[in-house]
Amino acid sequence: MKLNEIRDNAGAHYRAKRVGRGIGSGKGKTSGRGGKGQTARTGVALNGFEGGQTPLHRRLPKRGFNNKIFQKDFKVINLGRLQQAIDAGKLAAEGGLDAAKLVTAGILRRPGDGIRLLAKGGLSAPITIEVAGASEAAVKAVEAAGGKVVLLGRPAAEPEAAQEKRKRRPKRKASDNE
């Protein structure tokens, strides 16, 4: 290889558009910017601008509630995907399964705020899995296969006596105070 044979990789160098070089170039006269006015000038960012008219995003009413910044990011996993991983030898059905084991097995990239188990696909291996949430159908399918679903972050069921205490008392009427 000689110095005069050195070239860039194909597509590495982008040749700049030469505008304003005559009508034959296809980018002559107005240089592809249309006619005169604000948009023909530099430094124009008119996203959503409607020429002074109140823009659409300000004409429409605000509706609903948005809680996106506090929203939990649950990673969804289906029973069929778990069974695939068990069949392939990536997961062991023995012992409990949790988010960390699913990440090390390569089924999930990251655990997020927890795992939500859904019932798409079939499961034949008896597994015990710890998840943040699970659909009723998924819980039934896991239990039918001889496994168990442990829901994390849920308080244990209260005894009935404690529930009775927590019931609100009816408000007293004004005549009762006399």
Side-chain angles (χ1 to χ4, degrees), residues 116-130:
R116 177 124 172 93
L117 187 66
L118 300 182
K120 188 175 180 183
L123 182 74
S124 56
I127 59 169
T128 301
I129 184 163
E130 295 178 2

Side-chain angles (χ1 to χ4, degrees), residues 103-169:
V103 171
T104 29
I107 295 166
L108 291 175
R109 273 200 182 167
R110 55 189 69 85
D113 289 322
I115 296 169
R116 177 124 172 93
L117 187 66
L118 300 182
K120 188 175 180 183
L123 182 74
S124 56
I127 59 169
T128 301
I129 184 163
E130 295 178 2
V131 290
S135 66
E136 283 182 32
V139 173
K140 284 179 186 170
V142 170
E143 288 171 354
K148 184 179 167 190
V149 175
V150 179
L151 295 177
L152 300 173
R154 295 273 172 93
E158 292 182 35
E160 284 188 36
Q163 286 178 349
E164 288 296 320
K165 276 186 182 178
R166 291 193 327 141
K167 281 188 181 173
R168 298 183 98 182
R169 294 187 191 123

Side-chain angles (χ1 to χ4, degrees), residues 42-157:
T42 56
V44 178
L46 300 178
N47 198 1
F49 181 67
E50 298 183 22
Q53 167 179 301
T54 308
L56 183 68
H57 67 88
R58 284 179 55 203
R59 289 197 303 265
L60 297 176
K62 290 180 184 173
R63 296 233 353 154
F65 173 73
N66 185 347
N67 198 22
K68 267 207 157 112
I69 58 172
F70 300 108
Q71 181 176 318
K72 297 271 186 200
D73 178 30
F74 292 113
K75 302 298 178 188
V76 173
I77 189 153
N78 288 304
L79 293 177
R81 182 74 183 96
L82 284 176
Q83 186 61 51
Q84 255 183 344
I86 291 168
D87 293 342
K90 291 182 179 180
L91 277 177
E94 297 80 37
L97 292 179
D98 59 354
K101 286 186 181 173
L102 294 175
V103 171
T104 29
I107 295 166
L108 291 175
R109 273 200 182 167
R110 55 189 69 85
D113 289 322
I115 296 169
R116 177 124 172 93
L117 187 66
L118 300 182
K120 188 175 180 183
L123 182 74
S124 56
I127 59 169
T128 301
I129 184 163
E130 295 178 2
V131 290
S135 66
E136 283 182 32
V139 173
K140 284 179 186 170
V142 170
E143 288 171 354
K148 184 179 167 190
V149 175
V150 179
L151 295 177
L152 300 173
R154 295 273 172 93

